[in-house]
């Protein structure tokens, strides 16, 4: 494409440089500048007389020195970042002279910079001017092209003047128009341009020493070859085009308008200087029309300066100059032109925003986007351009293209600004596209999801709906909103699919139960969840599931609360079946409910095809109907079963299932004591509840179960609960059993007597009388409290009670008489046998006691008389034999008052010298002393006395016995 066809802009601010002082101004105006170079924040100007002048940022000459005594300085090179300057002077009578200067090392005597090295550039002793020059950054290699077609390469250490080598690497008949180095760490290549060809040769590295290789059989004019320092590309300008070359060969190119005299690379631009066009040419007319009109022919007779951006294919700046261009250089971030009349023009690139505004004014938004991307603008600012472009296209009515731009700017564009523009029904497809992209970029809110699903519903586009909800990767929309909208629109299977895919198990159960009414499948779904997940779902819908699936629901409750719960798994056969196609909307809606089982989140659940409420084509899917469901016997579900009481409220109005659940829980051994108490108490209550609903044998059966439940000694039911429940259910056996277990036998009997249940009272008396004797006095009072009761009990029962009272001494005869005499129910005839027997027995006992008293008195008198005789009368000993040895008694002998006599030798003397005791009576005496000692010890043991009183039947007899043993402090004879 020719430059004339490229869009032209004015991306540069042009201004003429004001020189700092008269000296500088005079130097520029006298046209003494022979060469120009820039670097290290300074501008270096070589003159015809061999002087070098250094210009600072203030555009004043800050330093000057004579670099060469003879010749004009034609070429210079400053090494960026250092103080090194290379100058070349030419005098056609001698070889060109090259010098390397250290500007920061002045000579002490003269103050001039130090010349590090000087050498003559050889050209085979041929005197031809230098047409081009280049050098590496470290000055290790330099290349000089001559007008006679020779290229000399200089190698060596010019900085330290350690010697150099020169070699002519190329010779031709055409003059050399340009030389440039392209260097990398391993290879240094020299590009050489002549008027007729372009070559390259390896100066160092692999391939060094090989002859030059022709790249293209077309050369360029002098000054029309340069290198882009940023990319390393060689730029060659010819009349037809501008070419880029790399080590691999020719790269991109773009058309040129004609002859070019000078080229320079500035940032991403290529600066072209062209000679004045030939008068009368069509190109000249075009330039006049394009840049200034046709007022004066002289305005176009000097030069034309153009800067182009090859990447964007635009003309960034173009102007006609009234004076020829002598040099193009760049320094201090700007591009400068030195004209023949000594003027310096500064070209400062406008800011990126200013350049973009120029493009906006002409609605060149694609070009603005390319410019922003090339300039490295951040994405947020690029999105502003996309949005402006979208607004422009929207105003033109190109809604599809506008939407594509809005989508590109979606990251930092307020969605409502775009959505409002496409709310029209005719643009609903664009709106859907934008909403889908919002979800893809995770920018969508719940409102956006709602709007998108409404759009799908409005268009009845089920395919897009399913594609949207089945999109892979991270969740791109608000899940709750999507599920809610699908449920509201009747898309139950899609809603269940979303809930299943994203682990919203409670929502799946909600859909199955509340929307689809598939209670069995809901229960099956819960049974496939892990223990922690299944529990809240089961508890939430426990009553509904018990109402519709009582048996299976009770079983899962039992498994879960007994710690045996294991999730089921599906074993899906690998066969494909064809799902039936829907015939219209109504059939599809019905299938949406019937086929919801396919959405159960089992390990191998098929989710590739989900029926919808609208008619659709047949789909191929893996059938879940043939799945074999079996419990996972290998996996152990480790969880802590909740307390059984948490399930009690779920079984309201389901007494039979509740009883099954409670009985199953009680069979487990891992229950806590508190849980056992809850289970036993509740099961007892349910047994009584069932008994109250039945009559006859069935009632007795349930009451028997209730009684059997509480009969055990280890049953952890509080007595108060049993009493309360038994009372509320009129279950007397329960009340009796509790009182019996608690030892409240008297209360059992009293409960019968208070109810006037004589038969029950007699039964209780016979059963508990042996354990609770006081029941007989109570029975006596009860039997004689009313004539009807006494008649019902009968005289025999009354006689038995009296006999028992009399036999066990439960009441004194006087108390019996007082009890019977409290009313006129009992007659003397009824108690006559009791009184006769009592009086007779007491008379016998009195007579016996009197005889015993007389015997004790006689014995006491005899003992007293014996004691008195021993103390007052002499004793006669008539024993003839010794009881110890059996021999005849002979002196010395010992006689005891007990009438026993012993040989003195037969008696054992005590060690302590105490009196010797009769061996025959010693045993009895020891027993008496032990008894006495025991009585003395027991005299202080009041607890023994109290215990004997409590255990004795006749307390008076007990007191008399203890008194007779001397424990009351009475004096006794030792």
């Amino acid at each position: 494409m020719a430059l004339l066809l490229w869009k032209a802009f004015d991306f540069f601010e042009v201004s003429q440089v004001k020189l700092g002082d008269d000296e500088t101004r005079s130097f520029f105006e006298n046209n003494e500048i022979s060469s120009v170079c820039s670097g290290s924040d300074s501008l270096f100007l070589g003159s015809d007389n061999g002087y070098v002048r250094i210009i600072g940022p203030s555009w004043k000459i800050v330093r000057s020195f004579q670099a060469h005594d003879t010749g004009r300085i034609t070429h210079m090179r400053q090494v960026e970042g250092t103080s090194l300057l290379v100058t070349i002077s030419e005098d056609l009578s001698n070889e060109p002279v090259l010098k390397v200067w250290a500007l920061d090392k002045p000579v002490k005597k003269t103050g001039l910079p130090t010349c590090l090295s000087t050498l003559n550039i050889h050209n085979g002793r041929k005197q031809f001017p230098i047409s081009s020059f280049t050098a590496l950054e470290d000055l290790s290699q330099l290349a000089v092209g001559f007008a006679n077609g020779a290229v000399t390469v200089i190698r060596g250490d010019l900085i330290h003047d350690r010697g150099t080598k020169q070699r002519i690497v190329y010779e031709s008949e055409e003059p050399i128009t340009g030389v440039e180095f392209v260097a990398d760490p391993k290879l240094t290549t020299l590009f050489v341009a002549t008027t007729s060809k372009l070559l390259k040769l390896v100066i160092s590295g692999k391939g060094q020493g090989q002859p030059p290789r022709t790249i293209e059989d077309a050369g360029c004019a002098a000054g029309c070859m340069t290198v882009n320092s940023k990319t390393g590309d060689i730029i060659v300008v010819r009349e037809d085009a501008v070419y880029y070359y790399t080590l691999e060969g020719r790269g991109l190119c773009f058309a040129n308008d004609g002859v070019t005299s000078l080229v320079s690379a500035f940032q991403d631009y290529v600066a072209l200087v062209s000679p004045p066009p030939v008068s009368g040419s069509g190109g000249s007319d075009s330039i006049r029309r394009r840049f200034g009109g046709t007022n004066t022919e002289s305005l176009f007779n000097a030069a034309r300066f153009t800067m182009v951006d090859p990447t964007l294919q635009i003309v960034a700046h173009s102007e006609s100059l009234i004076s020829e261009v002598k040099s193009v250089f760049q320094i201090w971030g700007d591009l400068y032109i030195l004209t023949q009349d000594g003027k310096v023009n500064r070209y400062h690139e406008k800011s990126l925003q200013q350049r973009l505004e120029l493009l906006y004014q002409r609605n060149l938004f694609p070009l603005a986007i390319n410019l922003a991307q090339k300039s490295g603008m951040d994405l947020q600012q690029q999105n502003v351009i996309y949005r402006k472009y979208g607004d422009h296209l929207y105003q033109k009515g190109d809604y599809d293209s506008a939407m594509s731009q809005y989508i590109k700017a979606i990251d930092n564009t307020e969605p409502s600004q775009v959505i409002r523009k496409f709310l029209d029904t005719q643009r609903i497809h664009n709106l859907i596209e934008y909403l889908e992209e919002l979800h893809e970029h995770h920018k969508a809110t719940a409102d956006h999801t709602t709007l998108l699903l409404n759009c799908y519903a409005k268009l009845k586009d089920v395919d897009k709906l399913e594609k949207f909800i089945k999109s892979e990767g991270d969740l791109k929309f608000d899940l709750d909103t999507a599920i809610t909208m699908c449920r509201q629109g009747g898309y139950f299977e899609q809603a269940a699919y979303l809930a299943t895919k994203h682990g919203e198990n409670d929502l799946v159960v909600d859909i199955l139960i509340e929307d689809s009414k598939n209670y069995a499948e809901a229960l099956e779904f819960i049974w496939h969840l892990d223990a922690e997940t299944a529990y809240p779902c089961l508890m939430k819908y426990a009553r509904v599931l018990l109402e519709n699936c009582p048996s299976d629901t009770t079983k899962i409750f039992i498994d879960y609360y007994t710690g045996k719960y294991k999730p089921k798994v599906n074993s899906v056969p690998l066969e494909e079946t064809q799902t039936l196609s829907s015939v219209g909307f109504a059939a599809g809606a019905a299938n949406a409910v019937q086929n919801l089982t396919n959405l159960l989140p089992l390990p191998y659940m098929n989710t590739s095809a989900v029926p919808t409420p609208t008619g659709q084509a047949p789909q191929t899917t893996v059938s879940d109907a043939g799945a074999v469901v079996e419990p996972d016997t290998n996996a152990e579900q480790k969880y802590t079963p909740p307390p059984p009481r948490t399930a009690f409220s779920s079984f309201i109005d389901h007494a039979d299932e509740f009883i099954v659940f409670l009985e199953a829980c009680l069979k487990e051994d891992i229950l806590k004591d508190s849980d056992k108490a809850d289970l036993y108490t509740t099961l007892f209550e349910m047994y009584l509840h069932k008994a109250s609903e039945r009559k006859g044998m069935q009632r007795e059966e349930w009451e028997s179960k209730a009684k059997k439940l509480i009969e055990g000694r280890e049953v952890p039911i509080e007595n108060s609960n049993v009493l309360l429940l038994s009372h509320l259910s009129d279950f007397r056996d329960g009340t009796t059993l509790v009182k019996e277990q608690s030892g409240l036998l008297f209360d059992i009997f009293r409960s019968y007597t208070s109810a006037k249940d004589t038969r029950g009272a007699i039964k209780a008396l016979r059963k508990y009388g042996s354990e609770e004797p006081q029941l007989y006095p109570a029975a006596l009072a009860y039997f004689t409290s009313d004539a009807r009761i006494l008649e019902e009990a009968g005289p025999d029962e009354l006689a038995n009670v009296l006999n028992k009272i009399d036999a066990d001494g439960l009441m004194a005869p006087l108390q019996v008489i007082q009890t019977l005499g409290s009313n006129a129910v009992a007659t003397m005839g009824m108690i006559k046998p009791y009184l006769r027997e009592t009086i007779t027995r007491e008379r016998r006992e009195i007579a016996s006691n009197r005889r015993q008293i007389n015997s004790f008195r006689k014995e006491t008198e005899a003992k007293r008389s014996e004691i008195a005789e021993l103390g007052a009368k002499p004793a006669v000993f008539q024993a003839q034999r010794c009881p110890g040895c059996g021999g005849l008694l002979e002196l010395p002998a010992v006689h005891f008052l007990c009438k026993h006599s012993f040989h003195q030798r037969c008696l054992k003397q005590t060690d302590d010298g105490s009196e010797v005791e009769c061996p025959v009576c010693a045993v009895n005496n020891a027993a008496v002393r032990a008894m006495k000692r025991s009585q003395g010890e027991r005299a202080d043991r009041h607890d023994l006395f109290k215990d004997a009183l409590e255990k004795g039947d006749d307390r008076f007899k007990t007191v008399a016995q203890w008194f007779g043993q001397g424990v009351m402090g009475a004096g006794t004879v030792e």
Side-chain angles (χ1 to χ4, degrees), residues 620-741:
T620 302
T621 179
V622 177
S623 174
D624 288 331
V628 179
V629 181
E630 57 186 10
D632 186 359
T633 57
N634 296 325
E636 265 313 311
Q637 280 288 319
K638 295 182 179 180
Y639 69 98
T640 302
R645 69 179 303 119
T646 59
F648 291 174
S649 61
S650 303
F651 286 91
I652 295 176
D653 298 331
H654 300 281
D656 294 333
E657 290 77 15
F658 195 15
I659 291 174
V660 173
F661 170 75
L662 294 172
E663 290 175 342
C665 290
L666 283 175
K667 294 178 181 179
E668 297 300 315
D669 299 329
I670 59 174
L671 293 173
K672 299 179 181 178
D673 293 340
S674 59
D675 294 339
K676 283 185 177 181
D678 292 339
L679 290 170
Y680 271 98
T681 303
T682 309
L683 183 59
F684 179 68
E685 181 181 2
M686 294 309 299
Y687 282 158
L688 296 182
H689 173 73
K690 293 294 292 184
S692 63
E693 294 179 347
R694 302 292 190 271
K695 294 182 179 180
M697 294 298 294
Q698 291 184 344
R699 180 183 178 92
E700 293 180 0
E701 180 181 352
W702 286 110
E703 287 184 346
S704 175
K705 286 186 175 183
K707 184 177 180 181
K708 184 179 180 181
L709 182 65
I710 61 175
E711 278 180 346
R713 291 290 181 182
E714 302 298 328
V715 177
I717 306 180
E718 293 185 7
N719 293 335
S720 59
N721 291 334
V722 177
L723 291 174
L724 176 62
L725 295 173
S726 299
H727 175 72
L728 295 176
S729 301
D730 195 18
F731 180 52
R732 181 170 294 177
D733 289 348
T735 303
T736 302
L737 187 59
V738 170
K739 292 180 179 180
E740 181 180 319
Q741 292 176 348

Side-chain angles (χ1 to χ4, degrees), residues 390-688:
D391 293 340
H392 170 69
L393 294 173
Y394 183 84
Q395 292 175 358
K396 290 173 61 178
D398 189 355
Y399 302 117
D400 293 339
S401 300
M403 180 53 70
S404 66
Q405 300 305 317
Y406 288 135
I407 290 174
K408 291 179 181 179
I410 202 169
D411 287 334
N412 61 336
T413 301
E414 175 58 38
S416 60
Q417 298 177 359
V418 179
I419 292 174
R420 281 197 296 267
K421 296 180 179 181
F422 293 88
L423 290 177
D424 194 309
T425 305
Q426 297 177 351
R427 301 168 195 164
I428 192 171
H429 293 285
N430 299 124
L431 179 59
I432 289 176
E433 181 183 6
Y434 186 74
L435 292 172
E436 288 175 343
E437 288 296 329
L438 277 178
H439 287 83
E440 286 291 332
H441 287 76
H442 301 281
K443 298 289 184 180
T445 64
D447 293 336
H448 298 147
T449 303
T450 302
L451 181 58
L452 178 59
L453 295 177
N454 280 330
C455 291
Y456 288 149
K458 189 175 185 64
L459 295 179
K460 297 182 180 180
D461 194 339
V462 181
D463 293 335
K464 277 196 173 184
L465 173 61
E466 292 192 354
K467 181 179 179 182
F468 174 71
I469 65 175
K470 294 181 181 180
S471 57
E472 299 296 333
D474 297 336
L475 187 63
K476 302 169 184 175
F477 48 85
D478 184 78
L479 180 64
D480 294 337
T481 302
I483 294 176
T484 301
M485 293 304 299
C486 288
R487 294 176 69 179
Q488 291 178 355
Y491 295 89
F492 301 143
E493 294 189 13
Q494 283 80 355
Y497 172 85
L498 284 174
T500 301
K501 180 179 179 182
H502 298 285
E504 298 292 337
N505 300 305
D506 52 345
L507 286 178
V508 177
V509 178
D510 289 348
I511 297 169
L512 289 169
I513 294 178
E514 296 179 2
D515 298 332
S516 303
K517 309 300 182 184
N518 283 341
Y519 305 106
E521 296 191 10
L523 184 62
E524 191 72 13
F525 173 86
I526 294 173
W527 215 323
H528 285 79
L529 301 177
D530 61 87
E532 298 297 332
T533 308
Y535 179 69
C537 298
L538 179 64
M539 296 305 295
K540 184 177 181 180
Y541 291 103
R543 295 187 185 181
V544 178
L545 293 173
L546 282 168
E547 184 70 30
N548 296 275
C549 307
S551 177
D552 291 340
T553 306
T554 304
K555 188 176 186 306
I556 193 174
F557 263 104
I558 292 173
D559 288 351
Y560 195 92
Y561 278 87
T562 56
K564 299 177 182 178
Y565 176 82
K566 293 181 180 179
K568 292 182 178 180
V569 295
N570 259 22
S571 176
V572 182
L574 297 177
E575 60 182 5
E576 292 186 352
T577 60
Q578 293 290 331
T579 60
L580 296 176
S581 61
S582 303
V583 287
F585 179 84
N591 290 336
V593 175
Q594 296 172 359
N595 298 330
L596 197 52
T597 180
N598 294 330
L599 290 171
L600 293 177
L602 310 181
Y604 307 100
M605 183 191 69
N606 168 58
T607 56
S608 60
V610 183
T612 62
T614 58
Q616 54 183 323
Q619 301 180 17
T620 302
T621 179
V622 177
S623 174
D624 288 331
V628 179
V629 181
E630 57 186 10
D632 186 359
T633 57
N634 296 325
E636 265 313 311
Q637 280 288 319
K638 295 182 179 180
Y639 69 98
T640 302
R645 69 179 303 119
T646 59
F648 291 174
S649 61
S650 303
F651 286 91
I652 295 176
D653 298 331
H654 300 281
D656 294 333
E657 290 77 15
F658 195 15
I659 291 174
V660 173
F661 170 75
L662 294 172
E663 290 175 342
C665 290
L666 283 175
K667 294 178 181 179
E668 297 300 315
D669 299 329
I670 59 174
L671 293 173
K672 299 179 181 178
D673 293 340
S674 59
D675 294 339
K676 283 185 177 181
D678 292 339
L679 290 170
Y680 271 98
T681 303
T682 309
L683 183 59
F684 179 68
E685 181 181 2
M686 294 309 299
Y687 282 158
L688 296 182

Side-chain angles (χ1 to χ4, degrees), residues 243-357:
Y243 297 89
Y244 283 73
Y245 295 92
T246 63
L247 294 177
E248 287 76 23
R250 190 171 78 179
L252 65 89
C253 65
F254 57 91
N256 192 14
D257 286 341
V259 178
T260 300
S261 58
L262 191 62
V263 64
S264 178
F266 174 64
Q267 297 180 2
D268 295 328
Y269 301 100
V270 176
L272 303 174
V273 178
S274 304
V278 180
S279 178
S281 66
S284 178
D285 293 340
S286 299
I287 291 296
R288 289 188 185 96
R289 289 193 300 270
R290 196 173 179 86
F291 303 106
T294 57
N295 294 333
T296 308
E297 184 69 21
S298 60
L299 295 177
F300 301 95
N301 61 2
R304 187 171 76 239
F305 177 66
T306 306
M307 277 192 289
V308 298
D309 187 334
T311 305
L312 299 179
Q313 295 187 349
I314 61 171
V315 176
H317 180 78
S318 182
E319 67 173 324
S320 296
L321 303 174
I322 60 176
S323 177
E324 294 182 5
V325 176
K326 195 169 187 178
S327 177
V328 178
F329 58 91
Q330 48 185 302
I331 191 173
W332 303 311
D334 293 327
L335 185 70
Y336 294 87
I337 288 180
L338 175 62
T339 59
Q340 200 70 36
D341 57 3
K343 300 294 190 295
V344 180
N345 291 340
R346 173 176 173 265
Y347 295 85
H348 177 72
E349 186 182 24
K350 294 180 179 179
S351 66
L352 178 59
Q353 192 59 40
Q354 289 176 318
R355 284 177 280 160
L356 291 175
E357 289 295 335

Side-chain angles (χ1 to χ4, degrees), residues 795-934:
D796 294 337
E797 192 64 36
L798 179 61
N800 292 335
V801 172
L802 290 172
N803 292 335
K804 182 65 176 176
I805 292 173
D806 182 42
D808 295 344
L810 300 177
M811 295 178 69
L814 182 58
Q815 291 176 325
V816 173
I817 298 301
Q818 290 176 345
T819 301
L820 297 178
S822 61
N823 51 57
V825 175
T827 63
M828 286 299 297
M830 294 178 181
I831 62 172
K832 186 176 180 180
Y834 165 76
L835 292 175
R836 183 174 58 248
E837 180 64 29
T838 299
I839 294 171
T840 303
R841 183 180 64 253
E842 289 186 355
R843 286 178 177 175
R844 287 197 299 267
E845 185 175 350
I846 292 171
S848 174
N849 289 339
R850 286 177 177 175
R851 287 193 298 271
Q852 188 174 4
I853 290 171
N854 293 330
S855 174
F856 286 161
R857 284 177 176 174
K858 290 179 180 180
E859 184 178 352
T860 301
E861 289 296 331
K863 292 293 183 182
R864 287 177 177 175
S865 299
E866 185 178 354
I867 293 172
E869 290 178 358
L870 288 176
K873 295 179 180 182
V876 179
F877 301 98
Q878 296 177 353
Q880 297 179 356
R881 291 184 177 275
C882 177
C885 61
L888 293 174
L889 188 65
E890 57 186 22
L891 298 175
V894 178
H895 303 279
F896 294 96
L897 293 178
C898 58
K899 305 300 182 179
H900 294 135
S901 300
F902 290 86
H903 293 123
Q904 188 178 7
R905 64 177 181 271
C906 293
L907 295 176
K908 295 181 180 179
Q909 299 295 326
T910 59
D911 295 335
D912 55 357
S914 59
E915 294 183 355
V916 178
E917 187 178 8
C918 174
V920 176
C921 300
V923 176
N924 292 333
N925 294 338
V928 172
R929 284 195 295 268
M931 185 181 301
K932 179 61 177 176
R933 186 167 52 253
S934 175

Side-chain angles (χ1 to χ4, degrees), residues 27 30-35 45-53 64-74 88-90:
F27 174 70
N30 291 337
N31 201 15
E32 298 176 1
I33 301 173
S34 59
S35 62
L45 303 176
S47 59
D48 294 335
N49 57 6
Y51 274 82
V52 175
R53 291 173 173 81
S64 66
F65 65 93
Q66 186 172 3
H68 297 271
D69 296 333
T70 60
R72 60 196 295 265
I73 300 176
T74 57
I88 297 177
S89 67
E90 292 186 73

Side-chain angles (χ1 to χ4, degrees), residues 194-221:
T194 68
T195 55
S196 61
K197 63 178 61 177
L198 180 66
L199 310 96
K200 72 173 182 178
L201 66 154
V202 178
I203 300 301
S204 64
K206 185 178 180 180
Q208 180 181 355
Q210 296 180 0
R213 185 167 66 87
T214 302
I215 299 176
E216 194 161 359
D217 291 328
C220 65

